[in-house]
Amino acid sequence: MIPAMPPTANASRLSSHAVLRFGRFAAMGTVAALILIAGVWASWGTAQHVMLTKGRERGTVDVARCGPHMCTGAFTPLSEGAQPRPRVEIAKSVAVERGRTYTVVLKPGGEDAVRSGPAGVLYAWIPLGGALLLASVVVAGGLLRTRAGWVLALSGFALLTAAFFAV
């Protein structure tokens, strides 16, 4: 005859499952939060210049030359207090071509320009779109929050798609 299991063994098994579940929730929640924070951090470096344009030099750049990573051209001011410059640099992307004119905002204290307008805003937030897609996998798989994972994935996909068509 096998004696029945003592009631304390069943209670300890339930508490160990609760501790493991909480540990997984805490670890995956931390990973998802860090991914999203990194996406915002990477995006904000450029987005702050595009979104908060008050007091910044705004204008257009006529792209004359393009290298492997940067394009250069003459800056024509559109805002008060902005000075024309013979040479500013804009990051080369698939949307920047030699011979075209782009509206830009100059970063303070330099000759670096970033695209402005809706295309510039969406382009600046591309790292956040990638972070949303990556965090959706962690939320759906690690936290077992499928709906929240889908919301993050669709938000990231919408942001990247809008940036693709705007740029």
Side-chain angles (χ1 to χ4, degrees):
M1 177 150 215
I2 300 174
M5 210 186 241
T8 57
N10 193 20
S12 67
R13 190 174 341 143
L14 290 176
S15 66
S16 67
H17 284 291
V19 169
L20 287 175
R21 189 176 321 141
F22 177 75
R24 183 188 69 202
F25 183 78
M28 291 295 112
T30 303
V31 169
L34 286 175
I35 290 170
L36 292 174
I37 289 169
V40 171
W41 186 273
S43 297
W44 186 246
T46 303
Q48 66 178 328
H49 302 294
V50 177
M51 296 174 68
L52 306 173
T53 60
K54 187 173 183 179
R56 300 191 196 275
E57 294 183 74
R58 294 184 308 265
T60 61
V61 63
D62 298 318
V63 177
R65 289 187 4 210
C66 283
H69 301 292
M70 298 296 269
C71 291
T72 59
F75 176 74
T76 306
L78 293 176
S79 63
E80 290 184 31
Q83 300 296 323
R85 299 178 189 210
R87 183 178 179 269
V88 295
E89 294 180 341
I90 186 170
K92 183 178 181 183
S93 68
V94 293
V96 176
E97 298 175 358
R98 195 174 120 248
R100 294 195 56 199
T101 302
Y102 300 98
T103 58
V104 296
V105 175
L106 294 183
K107 291 183 179 180
E111 297 177 349
D112 292 332
V114 291
R115 287 190 64 179
S116 62
V121 171
L122 289 170
Y123 183 72
W125 288 106
I126 284 178
L128 177 62
L132 286 167
L133 286 175
L134 184 58
S136 72
V137 175
V138 174
V139 168
L143 295 176
L144 302 177
R145 303 289 190 254
T146 309
R147 286 185 185 153
W150 275 109
V151 168
L152 290 173
L154 292 175
S155 299
F157 182 74
L159 177 60
L160 292 175
T161 303
F164 176 78
F165 285 113
V167 173

